[in-house]
Amino acid sequence: MNRTYIILLLTVFISTFSYAQHAYFADGYHGGIYGHYPVKWKTQFIVDQLSMHPDWRIGLEIEPETWDTVQIRTPEAYRQFKKMAAGEQVEFTNPTYAQPYCFNISGESIIRQFQYGIKKINTHFPDVRFVTYSVEEPCFTSCLPQILKLFGFKYAVLKCPNTCWGGYTSAYGGELVNWIGTDGTSILTVPRYACEKLEEGSTWQTTAWCNSESYLVACREAGIKHPVGMCYQDAGWKNGPWLGSGKNTKNRSHYIRWKDYIEKISVGKTDDDWYFSQEDMRVNLMWGSQVLQKIAQEVRTSENKIVMAEKISAIAHLDNGYRNNQADMDEAWRTLMLAQHHDSWIVPYNRLNGKVAWAEEIKRWTDNTNNIVDKLIKESMQSFYDQNIAVSGTNKQDEYIRFFNTLGTKRKEIANVLLPGEYASMDFKIYDWKGKEIDFQVEKEGEKNRLFFEVKVPPFGYSTYCIRKKESGKKNVPENRITSENKKSTGQEYVVENDLYKIVFDLSKGGTIKSLIAKKEKNKDFAVQTGEYALGELRGFFYEEGQFRSSAEHPAKMTVLRDNIYEKKVKIEGEIASHPFTQIVTLAKGTQRIDFDLTIDWKKNVGIGEYKEKHWRDNRRAYCDDRFKLSVLFPANLHSPHIYKNAPFDVCESKLENTFFASWDQIKHNIILHWVDLVEETGDYALALLSDHTTSYSHGEGYPLGLTAQYSGVGLWGPDYRITGQLKMKYAIIPHRGKWDEASIATASDSWNEPLLYSCHSSGKVDSKSFIDLHNTGYQISSAQFQDGRIILRLFNAEGDDKKHKIIFHIPLSGVEEVDLNGGCIRKKKIKMRAGVSEMDISMPRFGIKTFMLSFD
């Protein structure tokens, strides 16, 4: 053996030995009473293992409700663990109530997950503090830095080495990075190192999951002085220290808590600022599968309703002193948060505690949320009339309709109200709160009548309209009462036109849109006239037939459901691969948004996707490439368009050339949360797409924007994600000029998700009030809730700049505090008072959030 070779061997040995001496590992447990947590033995097992191995350290990501059960069923183990909970061996790293993914739910939901989770954990372990955010699954999103900092976290970890089924973050940087959030907030973070590769041939691991020698060598070569691996074990596993213990610990790794690693072991600081984009979330779920689609729709519906219930309760309190039942609201949030559990999205067919499937439990949970908030909304609206029963001047012959606006900006929309029965056969007039007579139309709908008129509602407030019956004996039919028979058309084309749009439907090609002219946008036609794809076309690969099928293959028939000056509504009936579908398209006067309601009546389960998957353990997956799933396509007449897409408290400009990928190790971020906006390279014209649920979209050169509608086939871990019933989904498009912020697409999305609420009553007062006005700020009211005698108001800068803006409160405030997300005072705000109106100046960066505690006499 020559001398050079010996020196080389010694160098490798010494460097490996030296490196292993300085390796670190974050061990811990993940799960809970809804995930995995064997209550009978687990807590005592943790206590015993910590006692047996004093050098062992663990991070805990245990569902907070778990401790309620542990306290009752194993009280002695609970008592022993309580002594250890705030000790040097344990760190609680994810206090969220139900361990949500975060990227797939609203920003407000993320905040509540932390608030309720922290409160629950601290009721059991009051000395526990939350310093480092670390999770087992990819439970990250781009807005987390500011949320974490506002909860008092100092550090974060972006690794999830042993559980990447749902995805992973981009590999970036070395030992530490400054994770820069959407609003510019920085949090010191341990990233998934640039050298931390995905395990070859694995569908769920990175190389950091067990501190292998190859991983540690790669870290050394990358200049990482204190390499750290990680594995949060499933709480159902009966393992103690993951890498062994004592002298037998793998590669002489040292167990650490993340807090101690960052503060005492790592380099401690860095100049490496990582401006983390939402596209650095490389996540992939079973988008388009019917079970996940329903879960996403159920969660979205409850998310919308619960924030509206809180807001309208706050409006009612400011108006008449109404107080909702906080215990009811807490329970509504509790079941919504459980429905947002990551397991419900990734393993919907798994049995929850061996009983019903996650998907069934989510339906029960969201139904419970909806029932509670529907009751609270009804009570809130009723409180206005309870106060007005004895109002002077109330005419018993009148009917009062009050419209409530939960947004911070004024709204002008078309009211669509089903009239009380006695109004179906009599004449009347409508007056606004100023006594001005309002134009309207009435359409016959069965035994009742539907009323249409334009309403104006001020920011975060209400407007009341009066329906006044004419004198008795006068039964002539008014000119504005119309009866429109449903008109059917089976010709080649049909034109639907209102004040904003002229749409030509090609019935010979399945009712696709041949022309979409936006009258107020210089008569721009947003539909392409030539090409392989058509606007509104349903298209997907039916792999049992071995071919793409399209709704444009067969003619459709059209029925006119409504045709008055306020609303145009048509029904298109066609088929896709012999399966009938119905699409209802609605245009409202003065409304940029065009609404679509799609139903497909599947005759049976059929396979839709790239191919029939058999070997589900391979990296290549049939459910990855959305071009093969059934999609609604939007080929738009736009020059070199690219994508903007919203995320929780964020809007991301896509840097992807396309969204296409076929395997787990090539995941690209292709998620539509609430909306995506397809905008020309010049920024002149754009087409926004809104979805009623979180799902995926497709787009790339030579392929139009597509909204994923259906996948059917083998999926994650091998279950057959079958079609089990109708496909039902709603979406909307907004043709516009300028970028998304210039066109107020975020506000338009808010209006779609939080529609005007209304109630009818035979007594009342014709008035209009605004309580909070965010006019011209670009801000949104993320939440407003009455709590402990004060209003907690959270604002989000969705579309505004970072300049100082004036917020107007039409209430006499006695004080305002800006608070963190734990409720701690950051600063007291100056307020100006004049004639019962309060004003406050605030500024925050784009995508920033601020919370205020409002006090009033």
Side-chain angles (χ1 to χ4, degrees):
M1 185 180 295
N2 64 47
R3 183 179 177 183
T4 303
Y5 187 62
I6 292 172
I7 292 172
L8 181 61
L9 284 176
L10 284 172
T11 301
V12 171
F13 174 78
I14 291 169
S15 100
T16 303
F17 178 79
S18 172
Y19 189 65
Q21 289 288 88
H22 300 90
Y24 300 91
F25 196 78
D27 202 352
Y29 291 110
H30 154 95
I33 199 70
Y34 296 101
H36 301 98
Y37 195 94
V39 176
K40 289 183 179 180
W41 59 267
K42 188 66 189 184
T43 308
Q44 189 63 56
F45 177 81
I46 293 174
V47 169
D48 292 343
Q49 290 293 310
L50 287 170
S51 300
M52 290 168 56
H53 307 288
D55 62 330
W56 193 36
R57 302 290 183 269
I58 57 172
L60 288 183
E61 185 191 21
I62 303 298
E63 298 153 13
E65 256 190 50
T66 304
W67 306 113
D68 292 345
T69 304
V70 170
Q71 184 179 23
I72 293 171
R73 293 179 57 185
T74 58
E76 180 56 27
Y78 172 85
R79 185 188 65 79
Q80 294 177 49
F81 178 73
K82 191 168 184 175
K83 292 180 180 179
M84 296 179 163
E88 294 183 356
Q89 288 182 275
V90 179
E91 182 179 17
F92 285 74
T93 63
N94 180 12
T96 55
Y97 202 87
Q99 300 172 1
Y101 274 129
C102 295
F103 59 79
N104 56 334
I105 59 177
S106 72
E108 189 59 37
S109 288
I110 297 170
I111 289 173
R112 302 309 177 92
Q113 287 276 356
F114 278 95
Q115 285 180 333
Y116 280 97
I118 288 171
K119 182 179 179 180
K120 174 63 74 174
I121 290 174
N122 281 153
T123 59
H124 289 281
F125 315 115
D127 295 329
V128 164
R129 297 295 175 261
F130 305 96
V131 180
T132 313
Y133 180 73
S134 176
V135 292
E136 186 218 23
E137 305 251 4
C139 298
F140 310 110
T141 195
S142 56
C143 69
L144 273 181
Q146 71 168 323
I147 290 178
L148 293 173
K149 281 293 191 73
L150 286 168
F151 275 112
F153 284 80
K154 294 180 179 180
Y155 316 115
V157 178
L158 280 169
K159 297 175 183 286
C160 56
N162 62 311
T163 321
C164 297
W165 293 290
Y168 41 83
T169 59
S170 296
Y172 177 90
E175 192 161 303
L176 295 176
V177 299
N178 297 315
W179 175 8
I180 310 298
T182 55
D183 71 322
T185 298
S186 173
I187 189 166
L188 192 59
T189 299
V190 180
R192 177 164 84 89
Y193 305 145
C195 66
E196 185 181 328
K197 307 299 182 184
L198 302 174
E199 287 274 18
E200 187 175 347
S202 172
T203 59
W204 58 287
Q205 295 162 318
T206 77
T207 56
W209 76 291
C210 64
N211 269 13
S212 65
E213 195 153 314
S214 61
Y215 167 66
L216 298 178
V217 169
C219 290
R220 181 182 181 89
E221 292 174 350
I224 297 171
K225 295 180 179 180
H226 310 95
V228 60
M230 172 185 175
C231 178
Y232 275 11
Q233 305 173 49
D234 192 298
W237 299 349
K238 204 164 190 176
N239 294 309
W242 182 245
L243 301 183
S245 61
K247 294 181 180 180
N248 296 321
T249 304
K250 186 175 183 180
N251 283 331
R252 301 187 182 182
S253 299
H254 299 280
Y255 291 109
I256 49 88
R257 298 186 305 177
W258 281 120
K259 172 183 179 293
D260 298 330
Y261 171 80
I262 295 171
E263 291 181 349
K264 301 176 182 179
I265 297 168
S266 76
V267 291
K269 61 181 180 179
T270 179
D271 295 326
D272 190 356
D273 294 342
W274 185 14
Y275 291 86
F276 186 98
S277 162
Q278 190 69 358
E279 290 190 334
D280 287 306
M281 289 301 305
R282 309 289 179 84
V283 286
N284 184 37
L285 298 177
M286 291 301 303
W287 307 120
S289 65
Q290 205 158 72
V291 63
L292 184 56
Q293 186 178 75
K294 289 180 179 178
I295 287 170
Q297 288 171 330
E298 288 160 358
V299 167
R300 175 65 52 78
T301 296
S302 293
E303 279 185 329
N304 292 340
K305 282 190 170 189
I306 199 166
V307 295
M308 291 182 73
E310 285 185 334
K311 290 177 181 181
I312 199 169
S313 295
I315 291 172
H317 178 78
L318 294 171
D319 183 84
N320 58 64
Y322 167 79
R323 297 190 178 198
N324 62 17
N325 186 321
Q326 188 58 46
D328 285 348
M329 191 62 76
D330 291 342
E331 174 61 14
W333 271 109
R334 173 184 169 270
T335 48
L336 170 57
M337 290 186 298
L338 292 176
Q340 294 168 337
H341 195 294
H342 68 269
D343 276 351
S344 66
W345 292 69
I346 196 168
V347 287
Y349 289 131
N350 277 14
R351 297 282 164 180
L352 183 57
N353 294 324
K355 299 176 183 178
V356 300
W358 274 98
E360 297 172 74
E361 199 64 51
I362 286 155
K363 178 68 165 61
R364 186 182 70 81
W365 281 331
T366 52
D367 281 351
N368 181 67
T369 296
N370 296 342
N371 290 336
I372 292 172
V373 298
D374 285 346
K375 177 178 74 74
L376 292 174
I377 289 172
K378 185 177 180 180
E379 286 178 1
S380 299
M381 292 193 293
Q382 179 64 36
S383 71
F384 290 85
Y385 298 107
D386 292 342
Q387 298 293 318
N388 292 328
I389 288 175
V391 170
S392 175
T394 295
N395 189 330
K396 293 182 180 180
Q397 298 299 308
D398 294 343
E399 185 78 16
Y400 299 88
I401 306 179
R402 179 164 280 156
F403 294 88
F404 298 90
N405 175 14
T406 57
L407 305 187
T409 53
K410 63 182 179 181
R411 297 164 76 169
K412 182 170 71 173
E413 297 181 12
I414 301 304
N416 181 331
V417 179
L418 195 61
L419 287 172
E422 65 268 22
Y423 284 84
S425 59
M426 62 179 61
D427 298 338
F428 53 85
K429 291 184 178 181
I430 301 178
Y431 298 90
D432 68 10
W433 63 95
K434 296 179 180 178
K436 180 183 177 182
E437 187 175 344
I438 301 298
D439 292 332
F440 67 94
Q441 284 193 331
V442 180
E443 282 202 5
K444 187 77 173 173
E445 188 169 302
E447 297 299 317
K448 295 186 177 182
N449 279 279
R450 191 165 289 279
L451 172 65
F452 298 89
F453 64 101
E454 186 177 81
V455 298
K456 298 176 182 179
V457 193
F460 202 71
Y462 61 83
S463 290
T464 315
Y465 290 78
C466 175
I467 302 179
R468 181 155 295 160
K469 301 172 187 175
K470 288 187 177 180
E471 296 177 13
S472 61
K474 294 187 178 183
K475 297 183 179 180
N476 58 300
V477 178
E479 294 180 1
N480 57 8
R481 189 186 299 277
I482 61 175
T483 302
S484 63
E485 298 180 1
N486 289 344
K487 305 171 186 175
K488 299 186 184 300
S489 175
T490 54
Q492 293 289 308
E493 295 180 355
Y494 192 88
V495 178
V496 177
E497 188 170 2
N498 74 347
D499 60 322
L500 295 184
Y501 299 108
K502 180 180 179 181
I503 305 178
V504 180
F505 293 93
D506 190 341
L507 300 184
S508 69
K509 294 183 178 179
T512 54
I513 295 174
K514 183 177 181 180
S515 176
L516 170 52
I517 295 175
K519 297 179 180 179
K520 299 293 177 68
E521 308 297 352
K522 298 183 178 180
N523 286 318
K524 164 77 173 177
D525 194 339
F526 281 80
V528 293
Q529 302 302 311
T530 59
E532 183 180 353
Y533 312 105
L535 193 72
E537 175 186 358
L538 295 169
R539 185 179 188 269
F541 190 74
F542 289 66
Y543 56 74
E544 292 159 334
E545 298 182 32
Q547 61 179 324
F548 280 97
R549 299 300 303 271
S550 166
S551 60
E553 296 172 5
H554 301 279
K557 67 177 182 180
M558 178 171 286
T559 304
V560 179
L561 302 179
R562 186 164 292 131
D563 186 11
N564 61 56
I565 63 170
Y566 294 104
E567 187 174 280
K568 312 288 184 181
K569 179 177 286 192
V570 297
K571 179 173 68 174
I572 301 164
E573 295 172 278
E575 64 178 67
I576 171 79
S578 80
H579 302 271
F581 75 85
T582 300
Q583 180 130 261
I584 295 174
V585 185
T586 305
L587 286 76
K589 179 184 176 183
T591 302
Q592 276 189 294
R593 192 184 70 243
I594 304 170
D595 292 338
F596 296 80
D597 190 336
L598 172 65
T599 301
I600 301 179
D601 287 304
W602 297 107
K603 296 178 180 178
K604 60 178 181 178
N605 178 57
V606 292
I608 307 174
E610 187 177 1
Y611 56 90
K612 185 174 183 179
E613 187 165 297
K614 295 180 180 179
H615 304 293
W616 64 272
R617 294 181 187 276
D618 295 341
N619 273 336
R620 181 151 171 69
R621 300 297 175 88
Y623 60 81
C624 287
D625 194 333
D626 290 339
R627 289 175 295 181
F628 294 89
K629 297 175 184 178
L630 186 69
S631 296
V632 188
L633 300 182
F634 303 92
N637 180 23
L638 300 172
H639 178 67
S640 300
H642 64 287
I643 293 282
Y644 287 88
K645 49 192 168 186
N646 90 310
F649 293 139
D650 187 18
V651 177
C652 169
E653 180 180 6
S654 179
K655 302 299 183 182
L656 300 175
E657 291 184 5
N658 59 61
T659 61
F660 316 140
F661 64 94
S663 63
W664 171 83
D665 55 355
Q666 298 173 352
I667 296 174
K668 299 177 183 179
H669 184 280
N670 62 346
I671 296 173
I672 174 172
L673 179 65
H674 296 99
W675 56 267
V676 299
D677 196 26
L678 188 66
V679 60
E680 285 185 323
E681 186 177 36
T682 58
D684 290 341
Y685 291 98
L687 182 73
L689 169 64
L690 283 60
S691 172
D692 73 345
H693 66 291
T694 303
T695 185
S696 62
Y697 72 93
S698 49
H699 182 253
E701 186 176 352
Y703 191 82
L705 174 64
L707 177 65
T708 301
Q710 194 79 82
Y711 170 80
S712 177
V714 173
L716 208 56
W717 286 297
D720 188 0
Y721 284 72
R722 298 170 59 84
I723 292 171
T724 57
Q726 285 184 328
L727 178 150
K728 294 184 72 69
M729 61 186 289
K730 295 180 180 180
Y731 60 92
I733 58 174
I734 304 175
H736 65 93
R737 296 193 73 178
K739 286 174 56 179
W740 65 273
D741 49 355
E742 298 166 335
S744 298
I745 296 302
T747 299
S749 174
D750 251 19
S751 298
W752 195 52
N753 284 284
E754 295 187 36
L756 293 174
L757 297 170
Y758 73 88
S759 62
C760 301
H761 210 276
S762 57
S763 64
K765 183 168 61 175
V766 183
D767 57 354
S768 178
K769 286 186 181 180
S770 171
F771 295 97
I772 303 172
D773 189 348
L774 306 182
H775 179 62
N776 288 336
T777 61
Y779 297 171
Q780 293 176 348
I781 297 178
S782 178
S783 72
Q785 52 178 317
F786 175 76
Q787 198 174 86
D788 300 327
R790 293 180 284 190
I791 298 292
I792 310 299
L793 172 69
R794 186 153 33 253
L795 303 180
F796 166 52
N797 186 353
E799 299 167 337
D801 55 35
D802 59 359
K803 296 178 181 177
K804 186 178 291 185
H805 291 282
K806 191 180 300 297
I807 309 298
I808 299 174
F809 302 92
H810 293 276
I811 45 178
L813 295 174
S814 60
V816 177
E817 290 182 1
E818 182 183 342
V819 296
D820 61 25
L821 294 175
N822 291 315
C825 181
I826 296 174
R827 62 181 62 89
K828 291 186 177 181
K829 298 292 293 182
K830 292 182 179 180
I831 52 176
K832 298 177 183 178
M833 292 285 299
R834 53 178 179 84
V837 176
S838 307
E839 294 180 356
M840 177 179 71
D841 291 333
I842 70 168
S843 63
M844 57 178 155
R846 173 74 66 87
F847 308 133
I849 55 174
K850 286 195 174 184
T851 307
F852 301 94
M853 192 174 292
L854 312 181
S855 301
F856 37 86
D857 296 328

